[in-house]
Amino acid sequence: MTSLVKWILILFGLISVIANIVIVCLYSGRLPKCSSKPHHVFKGKHNERSAMFADLSAEEYLRVRDYMSNQKDLNISVNALTKPSGNFLFLIDLLLPMKADALGYLDNNKPKPVREATAVVFYGTLGHIKEYVVGPLPNPIYHRDVTVKRYKEELPINARTVTIGEYALIFKFINEEVFTKLGKIVKESFDVSKEKTLNGFEGMPRGVKSGERQTWISFFRDFSGMYIHPVGLEVLINHESTNASLWSVKRLLYNGQYFDSVEDLIKQYDAGTVTKIVYKPVQNYASLKPRSKPTGLSPQQFYAQGKRFSVKNNHVMYLEWSFAFGLSSLTGMRVFDIRFKGERIVYELSVQEAMSVYGSITPGMILTKFLDSSIGIGRFAHELVRGVDCPYAATYIDTFRYIDVSAPHRFRNSICIFEHNTGRPLRRHFSDFFSNSYGGMVNSALVFRTITAIGNYDYLWDFIFYQSGSVEAKVHATGYISSSFNVDGNLKYGHQVAENTIGNIHTHFINFKVDLDVLGVENVFQTKDMKFMNVSLPWMPERYAMVPQLVEAQLKTEKEAALRYDTKTPRYLHIASNRTNRWGHQRSYRLQVVSFTGDSLPETEPEEKSMSWARYKVAITKHKDSEQTSSSLYSQNNMWTPAVDFSKYIEDDESIENQDLVAWVTTGFLHIPHAEDIPNTVTVGNGGGVILRPHNYFDEDPSIHSPDGVYISPGSEGNCENNKMACLTEDSCTPIIEPFTYNGFEGTMKFEERRKKSPQSQS
């Protein structure tokens, strides 16, 4: 090849590259960046008064902490590693205002409610727990002991949650009194050494009667996803005393055989009377690292004309919707003052409790009943992963919490808000008879989400706002199942899902609080259903036909409106106003419960009182500020005499006619673990919720006024006037992509005595 030919080829190559660059630049010029500013014109303004529902700020947490620690007579420590024998400031959280005061401020220009906090102190020196109201914020000058006022009795110290300080002592105790003494056994059976350990997982409750604090701890391989790697060793420790030097090992289970003490296990092991577990290395089948190299990208969603929602402080506006939000350390996600077209529909919609009851033959699971708010549901709302936990282009919000820490902690991007195309129309019709047309509307809704990773389970919490005037509270479960070692008889309680691993049967019960205010606070509770009636045909009186007929009722008292899961309940449940729509029907909102729960714990069981809310699919009570939650921080560790027994809200059987009503809704699902739960349970089919749907509240479907509506008639197929989809190519743009960041590991629990997490506790 001559040099001339080479130069010609090089020149041709350069020309081709330049031409491609020009073409790309020209094409890019036709696709502008999508606007970060919304085209949507918002109706109204953000409500600054919603700030009374806002979580405490980092500064407010610090002011309360410092005020409490400066009260010398209280003798309080704020060190997260405070021992159980000390007095520890465990929790600071927002005290919600009285409802009447809040409504007066929101609606009638009454004075702003005083902003206050609740402070929870574990008094190890005195043997009890105290709750204080601290205020006013941001500069507190007073504190009031409200323990007895709230719970009608003092709270015993053993009702407390296990703190980081107590966990540190438990780790030390187990290492010295179990692993060190069982050195030969744990080495031969589990390959435990100074460099290699086992992880613990707690069963709850901690005992079988009030006052006990005895915990079965099951041990698992030191893997990520340890929950499905049981090794066959379980230990019962007695840590009732706040003095750790008085703790003891009560029993042990090794390979299905019980032992009275560590020494008893050693003696029988050496004598050869124990069926030994022989250590066998295994691959970590619990790892979530992709088995195949990730390639390509899944479909992404972006906003071609800017976001149609706006977030300012703790207030959100979206099309016709507006609401305030917060995230409680104990109960998790909550929203307030939900309005549609300016009218309040819901005063409060909040998560209350997540509960699981397990079955097993092994002690670590056989009595296990988890009540997550006692550990803190919102406490474990860590950073959401952009593009996975929420759409990449969602709006992300930081939260602050003060629970079992020395200082408030910031959880970055722990709430996300996004508008979501569900992929199916909200409504549509294609007309093929007499006239031809198409009318429809995309189902685009606003999603308010957080995800809480409480030990092994991850719960996705969604509040969804639809353009039809409906609101949905929804939960999905994922994460790891709990498991136990495969011993004789355990297959009655689950399926084998891995070598020597049983996935244990369990229930998931979720409780929501729905404080509906339908055109005010004077509402009634109605039910509707159907029955077949044998009806004479008007034009043929001698002929009869079974015809479905509407059956309506109005329930009058709280006991009548406590609709149990073990009885047939009407299909339509309504909170209604006495005002009517254009057609003469009472304007109402329907509670549509989506649930696949297992059976609730029999009431004969002494622990059932701590979860009595789970008896009811829906229970309607008269609103009381003293009945703020269906469970409490203390339910888990004092199940037998719980501080809050929800069934007592119903016992007084008050009238619910023309009253301010609250609906307590229970949903969930039964989980029988199976092979496909390895390595992780998927969200598909594992969830439940409640939909609040307008029922004769409007004169017509309000979505007919949405700008998302589409109408096509013959000859107008390409006309953009009533069909924005026809002009989508004209509105195409390149999305603005923010850089990916992740700081989620900043908020994990830290212990001085151990490099890893606590003995994991959770459903």
Side-chain angles (χ1 to χ4, degrees), residues 483-550:
S483 68
S484 58
F485 197 70
N486 189 8
V487 298
D488 288 345
N490 220 4
L491 283 173
K492 293 180 181 178
Y493 304 97
H495 294 313
Q496 182 167 349
V497 294
E499 187 172 357
N500 291 322
T501 302
I502 298 296
N504 295 91
I505 187 172
H506 57 281
T507 61
H508 288 272
F509 282 82
I510 309 295
N511 190 242
F512 292 101
K513 180 181 182 181
V514 185
D515 185 352
L516 278 158
D517 286 352
V518 181
L519 300 172
V521 296
E522 293 186 4
N523 294 155
V524 295
F525 181 57
Q526 299 175 334
T527 66
K528 298 179 184 180
D529 212 322
M530 60 161 283
K531 65 178 179 180
F532 279 98
M533 297 294 292
N534 197 21
V535 176
S536 171
L537 300 182
W539 70 97
M540 299 174 61
E542 71 280 6
R543 294 297 301 268
Y544 286 79
M546 296 297 289
V547 179
Q549 189 177 92
L550 176 64

Side-chain angles (χ1 to χ4, degrees), residues 531-596:
K531 65 178 179 180
F532 279 98
M533 297 294 292
N534 197 21
V535 176
S536 171
L537 300 182
W539 70 97
M540 299 174 61
E542 71 280 6
R543 294 297 301 268
Y544 286 79
M546 296 297 289
V547 179
Q549 189 177 92
L550 176 64
V551 178
E552 299 178 282
Q554 182 166 304
L555 306 188
K556 298 181 179 181
T557 68
E558 290 176 324
K559 285 187 177 180
E560 284 184 35
L563 307 179
R564 302 175 68 106
Y565 261 111
D566 57 4
T567 60
K568 183 179 179 181
T569 60
R571 294 171 178 86
Y572 277 61
L573 310 173
H574 302 262
I575 302 292
S577 165
N578 285 315
R579 291 163 61 181
T580 59
N581 70 356
R582 180 182 176 184
W583 316 114
H585 299 294
Q586 285 177 263
R587 297 175 66 182
S588 73
Y589 258 76
R590 176 189 174 193
L591 299 158
Q592 184 171 333
V593 183
V594 180
S595 182
F596 310 94

